[in-house]
């Protein structure tokens, strides 16, 4: 009997897999911190014989090279991928024996990248699972615009063909096990559901129900913003990532925190947005550790800028350090945990700002600036009439464009509004963070408009 263990990474919206038999296994698209994969293999009592990459990843730093080195596994990387390290190049149709009666077969599925390769696990010659990476996802496909703008339409058409190839070659009951699609910006749309099969995708995936021209037009029209840090992930993975260092950062006292702020470095408070609003180090930024920490911090921070982490517990610092390493923010410059009163020097006070609901905004709407930090695609569905729009990932460079006055900042649910509020607060603006679901805006009596009404 074969097994497939799923390793979920909710912050980035990705999954990795460990699959095998009684004695040996293959790790597919492993994360940067390989200890989780090693622990999964130890729990199964199996040897990691192979590490397989579906593609050179654009959204996270792979642990594949290090896992292969530590475990002694053969490192399978698509033949068309341009990398600078030794690996076993795999081409369409290549197979490896994972365990007795268990074979892994490479299937060329270009589209997410030109070299993208899926892997079909076969038990006694019968396909049982397809590791589809960024090709066929649950209800959608991987986005085709992360490699080179001139290739986007060609890769979108390749996605359609690759999805059809998988559907044509595999039976309905074969499990579809993608890497992306669970919140990752590598997905062209949010996955619907948590598990799928070829049969289910054949019925409900646009790539398999629409003709190629309709599919491509719809796919390209729906593409969203690309996180800025993606530009760094591909080169890091192609060069061969260094082993990750998860030892604790150096402790920072109040003097060092103040010094790092004065030097223009980023001091990031990982506490909840409620706790941050009530009291925080002036000039620090709030990226909740329970939210999409790695995605949004790596997206907004100037690449390479030193970052100091603040949290209520050392465990939260360690968890954040692990998550940030997945996107190449390897070593925090320093860290501090405990009571925030210890993070400021004698004679200083913690800063704070208000939180509110849309109902409260409705009562003061005519007297304040409303800042919408959602993405363009979200705003297209409706926005508060007269609001200013600066997507959160553009705000660090556009704070000066926010009109004078008290700024009430909102997003779709509150997390990004908290980030934006902290950025504005650090810039000296009077700010109120709207901690509410956007659907409550209309219920509160706020007038909503659409881009067709002349405002975006």
């Amino acid at each position: 009997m074969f097994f497939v263990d799923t390793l979920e990474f909710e912050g980035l919206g990705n999954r990795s897999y460990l699959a095998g038999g009684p004695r040996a296994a293959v790790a597919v698209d492993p994360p940067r911190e390989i200890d989780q994969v090693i622990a999964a293999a130890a729990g199964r009592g199996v040897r990691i014989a192979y590490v397989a990459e579906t593609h050179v990843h654009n959204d996270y730093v792979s642990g594949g090279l290090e896992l292969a080195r530590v475990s002694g596994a053969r490192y399978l990387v698509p033949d068309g991928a341009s990398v600078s390290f030794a690996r076993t190049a795999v081409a369409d149709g290549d197979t490896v024996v994972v365990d007795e009666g268990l074979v892994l077969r490479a299937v060329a599925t270009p589209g997410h990248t030109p070299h993208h390769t899926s892997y079909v696990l076969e038990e006694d010659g019968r396909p049982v699972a397809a590791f589809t990476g960024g090709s066929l996802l649950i209800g959608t496909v991987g986005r085709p615009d992360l490699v080179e703008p001139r290739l986007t339409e060609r890769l979108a058409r390749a996605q359609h063909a690759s999805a059809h190839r998988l559907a044509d070659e595999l039976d309905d009951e074969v499990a579809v096990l993608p890497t992306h699609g669970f919140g990752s910006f590598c997905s062209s749309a949010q996955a619907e559901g948590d598990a799928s099969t070829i049969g289910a995708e054949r019925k409900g995936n646009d790539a398999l129900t629409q003709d190629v021209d309709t599919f491509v037009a719809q796919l390209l029209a729906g593409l969203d913003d690309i996180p800025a840090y993606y530009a760094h992930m591909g080169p890091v993975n192609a060069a061969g990532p260094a082993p990750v260092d998860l030892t604790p950062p150096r402790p920072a006292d109040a003097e060092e925190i103040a010094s790092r702020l004065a030097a223009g470095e980023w001091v990031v408070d990982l506490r909840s947005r409620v706790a941050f609003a009530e009291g925080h180090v002036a000039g620090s930024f709030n990226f909740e550790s329970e939210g999409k920490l790695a995605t949004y911090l790596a997206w907004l921070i100037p690449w390479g800028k030193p970052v100091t982490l603040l949290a209520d517990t050392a465990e939260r610092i360690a968890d954040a350090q692990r998550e940030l390493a997945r996107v190449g923010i390897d070593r925090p410059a320093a860290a501090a945990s405990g009571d925030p009163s210890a993070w400021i020097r004698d004679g200083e006070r913690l800063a704070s700002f208000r939180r509110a609901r849309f109902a409260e905004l409705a009562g003061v709407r005519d007297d304040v600036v409303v800042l919408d930090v959602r993405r363009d695609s979200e705003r297209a569905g409706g926005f508060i009439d007269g609001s200013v729009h600066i997507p959160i990932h553009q705000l660090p460079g556009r704070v000066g464009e926010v009109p004078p006055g008290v700024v009430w900042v909102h997003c779709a649910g509150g997390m990004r509004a908290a980030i934006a509020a902290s950025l504005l607060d650090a810039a000296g603006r009077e700010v109120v963070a709207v901690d509410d679901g956007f659907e409550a805006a209309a219920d509160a009596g706020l007038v909503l408009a659409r881009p067709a009404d002349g405002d975006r």
Side-chain angles (χ1 to χ4, degrees):
M1 288 291 293
F2 75 95
F3 72 87
V4 177
D5 290 340
T6 301
L7 287 74
E8 296 193 51
F9 303 96
E10 295 183 3
L12 293 179
N14 288 325
R15 291 179 175 179
S16 298
Y17 301 93
L18 183 74
R23 291 169 296 277
V26 56
V28 181
D29 287 344
R32 179 79 182 281
E33 65 279 33
I34 62 175
D35 57 328
Q36 297 183 64
V37 185
I38 293 172
R44 286 283 186 178
V46 297
R47 172 177 62 91
I48 300 175
Y50 297 95
V51 176
E53 300 281 12
T54 57
H55 60 295
V56 175
H57 300 283
N58 290 292
D59 65 328
Y60 70 92
V61 179
S62 171
L65 183 62
E66 179 66 2
L67 180 59
R69 185 188 69 81
V70 169
S71 66
R74 287 175 61 190
Y75 192 21
L76 310 180
V77 178
D79 183 50
S82 178
V83 297
S84 302
F85 48 83
R87 90 286 196 198
T88 298
V90 293
D92 186 43
D94 285 352
T95 60
V96 295
V97 177
V98 177
D99 206 336
E100 185 176 354
L102 203 60
V103 171
L104 192 72
R105 175 168 58 91
V107 180
T109 49
H112 187 48
T113 66
H115 61 265
H116 191 283
T117 299
S118 298
Y119 297 92
V120 175
L121 189 66
E122 299 177 346
E123 184 181 46
D124 297 327
R126 178 178 63 89
V128 291
F131 301 100
T132 55
S135 180
L136 184 66
L137 310 185
I138 299 178
T140 183
V141 296
R143 58 192 299 171
D145 61 330
L146 302 181
V147 178
E148 160 59 53
R150 291 170 295 180
L151 296 178
T152 297
E153 182 172 351
R154 187 189 314 170
L155 289 176
R157 292 182 178 276
Q159 280 289 50
H160 187 270
S162 292
H164 277 266
R165 181 182 180 187
L166 290 170
D168 291 344
E169 292 186 8
L170 302 175
D171 293 335
D172 281 352
E173 65 271 17
V174 174
V176 173
L177 302 171
T179 299
H180 304 313
F182 310 96
S184 168
F185 279 85
C186 270
S187 174
S188 61
Q190 181 62 42
E192 296 293 335
D194 200 47
S196 191
T197 62
I198 289 292
E201 294 308 307
R202 191 177 281 120
K203 294 177 182 178
N205 195 306
D206 287 345
L208 298 173
T209 60
Q210 296 177 342
D211 65 85
V212 63
D213 290 334
T214 301
F215 167 76
V216 169
Q218 179 175 294
L219 177 63
L220 298 185
L223 292 174
D224 215 330
D225 298 307
I226 300 172
Y229 70 92
Y230 276 26
H232 305 281
M233 298 299 95
V236 168
N237 286 322
V244 66
D245 179 3
L246 295 176
T247 56
R250 58 171 289 172
D253 59 15
E255 285 292 343
E256 181 169 355
I257 292 170
S259 176
R260 291 189 176 279
L261 283 168
E265 298 181 10
W266 277 37
V267 174
V268 172
D269 192 325
L270 302 168
R271 295 176 301 147
S272 74
R273 55 185 182 260
V274 176
F276 183 88
E278 290 176 349
H280 57 270
V281 177
S284 63
F285 303 138
N286 182 213
F287 290 80
E288 293 179 301
S289 63
E290 300 299 325
K292 284 185 156 301
L293 168 65
T295 295
Y296 283 103
L297 179 54
W299 198 342
L300 270 64
I301 192 170
W303 198 249
K305 176 82 73 174
V307 59
T308 293
L309 301 178
L310 309 178
D312 48 353
T313 66
E315 290 75 19
R316 198 179 298 277
I317 296 284
D319 289 345
Q321 185 178 355
R322 176 177 289 269
E323 186 170 348
L324 292 175
R326 296 173 189 155
V327 293
I329 301 177
D330 283 4
R331 293 296 301 162
S337 60
D339 192 308
S341 62
W343 303 339
I344 56 174
R345 296 172 296 189
D346 291 343
E348 294 180 335
R349 299 178 60 182
L350 293 172
S352 63
F353 54 75
R354 286 182 56 201
R355 295 167 51 251
R357 303 285 187 180
F358 279 111
E360 296 168 78
L361 173 58
V364 298
R365 172 65 191 93
D366 294 336
D367 302 316
V368 300
V369 177
V370 179
L371 176 63
D372 180 350
V373 296
R374 296 174 301 158
R375 296 186 299 278
D376 288 345
S377 58
E378 297 172 283
R379 189 169 168 88
F383 55 87
I384 296 172
D385 192 31
S387 61
V388 177
H389 181 220
I390 302 177
I392 182 64
H393 58 278
Q394 298 178 14
L395 186 58
R398 299 178 61 188
V399 168
E401 298 179 27
V402 181
V406 180
V407 184
W408 288 57
V409 59
H410 80 86
C411 59
M415 180 194 74
R416 288 171 293 172
I419 297 172
S422 72
L423 295 172
L424 291 166
D425 177 72
R429 298 298 302 271
E430 184 178 354
V431 64
V432 178
V434 179
D435 196 353
D436 207 354
F438 186 70
E439 63 277 1
D443 295 338
L446 290 162
V447 178
L448 301 187
R450 290 183 181 273
D453 299 326
D455 186 6
R456 180 173 282 275

